[in-house]
Amino acid sequence: MKSLIKSLPLLAAIMGLTLTVKAQTTKTSTTASGGIIWSVGADGGITTGSLRDSHKSMVGGSIQADIPVADQFYFTANTGYNQFFGVDNVFGSGVKAPDINIIPVKLGLKYLPIKLLYVQLEAGAAFVTNKSVLGYERTGTFIYAPQAGTQIPLGGTSYLDAGVRWEGCTNFTANDDNSRGHFFALRVAYAFSF
C-alpha cells in the first residue's frame, strides 16, 4: 500500500502532462465505429523488490475490453493468467522455489492524449491458484498497475496494442514482503472492435 501511495503523485504528474499535450493536439479516434475494443495478448516480465530473490521472471496471457466512455477515454476490464518462475537455488539453499500462479482481475481507465499513445491505470485483485504449495495465508490480494503504450491501426478495425506496465500487489501473507509480487511487464496484443 505504501508503494501505491508513493506512486500516486507520479501518476498525477503523468496525467497532467498528457492532458496538457492533449490540449495542443487535434482530436483523433482510435476506433472506426466507436465500439468496444477487445484485445488478446501475451505478457512477459521481470520481477522487482523482494520477490526477485525467489522469482526472476513471469509470462502470461490476458484478455481486455476497452469500453468507450468519452472522447479518447475508455473504461477497461482485464483478466488473464500469470506464472512467476521460481529460481533453482533460493538464498543459496539449493532448494527450488515453487512457481507462483496468479489470476489477475482488474478494472481501470485508459486515456489517449495523442493519436496512437495511451496511459492506463488499473486496480483489482490477484488470486493465487497454488496457495497451499506457497504457504500463503490469503488467496487474494489488492493489485494496481499503471501502464503506458501504443495502439497502432493494422487496417479496418484491427490494432496492435503494445504496453509497458509496472504492477504491484499487497502481501499474500501478513508481514511477509516475500509474498508481495511487484514486476515490470510488456503486453503485446491483437486488438479489434466491432
Side-chain angles (χ1 to χ4, degrees), residues 102-135:
I102 291 180
I103 297 173
V105 178
K106 300 176 285 189
L107 299 175
L109 292 173
K110 177 188 272 189
Y111 173 60
L112 286 92
I114 57 176
K115 187 176 181 180
L116 306 179
L117 299 176
Y118 67 82
V119 291
Q120 182 173 324
L121 179 61
E122 293 181 305
F127 301 97
V128 66
T129 62
N130 57 340
K131 171 182 144 178
S132 60
V133 172
L134 299 163

Side-chain angles (χ1 to χ4, degrees), residues 48-51 169 171-182:
T48 63
S50 58
L51 183 63
C169 73
N171 295 359
F172 280 98
T173 299
N175 302 318
D176 180 5
D177 287 343
N178 291 325
S179 70
R180 177 187 313 188
H182 299 313

Side-chain angles (χ1 to χ4, degrees), residues 22 50 53 74 76 80 90 93 106 125 134 161-162 181 184-185:
K22 173 64 177 171
S50 58
D53 295 332
Y74 294 84
T76 65
V90 180
S93 66
K106 300 176 285 189
L134 299 163
D161 186 329
F184 283 100

Side-chain angles (χ1 to χ4, degrees), residues 39-129:
S39 64
V40 178
D43 300 65
I46 56 170
T47 59
T48 63
S50 58
L51 183 63
R52 188 145 180 81
D53 295 332
S54 58
H55 298 79
K56 300 285 187 204
S57 61
M58 63 74 65
V59 297
S62 57
I63 299 171
Q64 181 169 303
D66 298 350
I67 303 160
V69 291
D71 188 40
Q72 305 303 100
F73 276 97
Y74 294 84
F75 173 77
T76 65
N78 181 305
T79 189
Y81 180 82
N82 295 330
Q83 181 167 353
F84 295 83
F85 299 105
V87 298
D88 290 329
N89 189 13
V90 180
F91 303 115
S93 66
V95 176
K96 182 182 183 328
D99 293 350
I100 302 172
N101 305 315
I102 291 180
I103 297 173
V105 178
K106 300 176 285 189
L107 299 175
L109 292 173
K110 177 188 272 189
Y111 173 60
L112 286 92
I114 57 176
K115 187 176 181 180
L116 306 179
L117 299 176
Y118 67 82
V119 291
Q120 182 173 324
L121 179 61
E122 293 181 305
F127 301 97
V128 66
T129 62

